[in-house]
Amino acid sequence: MCEDLSAFQPNLDFYMNKSPSEPDGDLIENILNNWKGDYKKLESNCAYIQWLFPNKSQGKNPASYPLNEMEAEIIRQTPELKDRFKRAFKMMLDYFGMELDETRKCFTLASNSDERLKRINTWGNEAFLYISRILLALKECGFEGLMFPWMKFLAQLIYEDKTLDQAEESFEGFWVETLNDADRVEIQAIVADYQQ
């Protein structure tokens, strides 16, 4: 007897608040309502990141699942699920010490930026992997328009302000590659200007 794989939608079930992230996770609404600002929890339990920001790669958590196209399409088209994605993004921006001004689609430093940037600006930490995953999820879940302004802001922090300079390798080796061709060329030009 063949198993019906069309009903298997773990990422969608998580986003619909029907099932918790695994392992040791929670329902998405509980995460969004209770985990924001709990930096110890966000640092110590990294299994949730693959659930909050699903993309087509497996990631490090063997209890998570790659995002399939049907799930991505439903997230892109469902206002409630898009809102959850945006809230998850804002929660992680807070974790990084950043904020999104939605009206202008620009990024700024949050009031906690000194502490948070100092904490994450260490070579090889999980935060850079989180950013990699989030960039891919932005693209696949219908928020590609936020990628370029966020990358422009990250470039400023890395190359001009030097408050996130340990992320340079991740920025050049992976983050830039998530952009479409035109945005990639523009970001590379911005970085070249900073490096002169």
Side-chain angles (χ1 to χ4, degrees), residues 108-148:
T108 59
L109 292 174
S111 60
N112 66 350
S113 64
D114 287 346
E115 170 211 339
R116 294 311 305 157
L117 287 173
K118 186 175 181 179
R119 176 81 177 149
I120 68 172
N121 192 36
T122 56
W123 187 85
N125 74 68
E126 294 287 322
F128 300 159
L129 294 174
Y130 291 0
I131 292 172
S132 299
R133 173 159 283 277
I134 293 167
L135 283 164
L136 289 172
L138 285 168
K139 180 186 285 188
E140 293 172 11
C141 293
F143 293 90
E144 192 169 4
L146 293 175
M147 293 174 69
F148 179 79

Side-chain angles (χ1 to χ4, degrees), residues 133-195:
R133 173 159 283 277
I134 293 167
L135 283 164
L136 289 172
L138 285 168
K139 180 186 285 188
E140 293 172 11
C141 293
F143 293 90
E144 192 169 4
L146 293 175
M147 293 174 69
F148 179 79
W150 192 28
M151 288 288 289
K152 189 174 175 183
F153 182 64
L154 290 168
Q156 177 187 332
L157 296 178
I158 294 166
Y159 299 98
E160 183 177 35
D161 301 348
K162 308 284 189 197
T163 53
L164 199 57
D165 58 337
Q166 294 300 308
E168 185 175 336
E169 187 177 316
S170 294
F171 187 94
E172 294 176 7
F174 186 79
W175 301 349
V176 169
E177 297 304 313
T178 65
L179 297 171
N180 65 42
D181 291 342
D183 287 347
R184 185 181 312 123
V185 168
E186 192 168 345
I187 282 291
Q188 289 169 334
I190 289 168
V191 168
D193 285 346
Y194 283 138
Q195 292 174 327

Side-chain angles (χ1 to χ4, degrees), residues 11-31:
N11 296 296
L12 195 55
D13 288 345
F14 173 71
Y15 255 83
M16 294 174 96
N17 210 43
K18 292 179 179 178
S19 62
S21 58
E22 296 292 340
D24 304 321
D26 209 337
L27 294 171
I28 191 169
E29 278 299 318
N30 292 337
I31 292 172

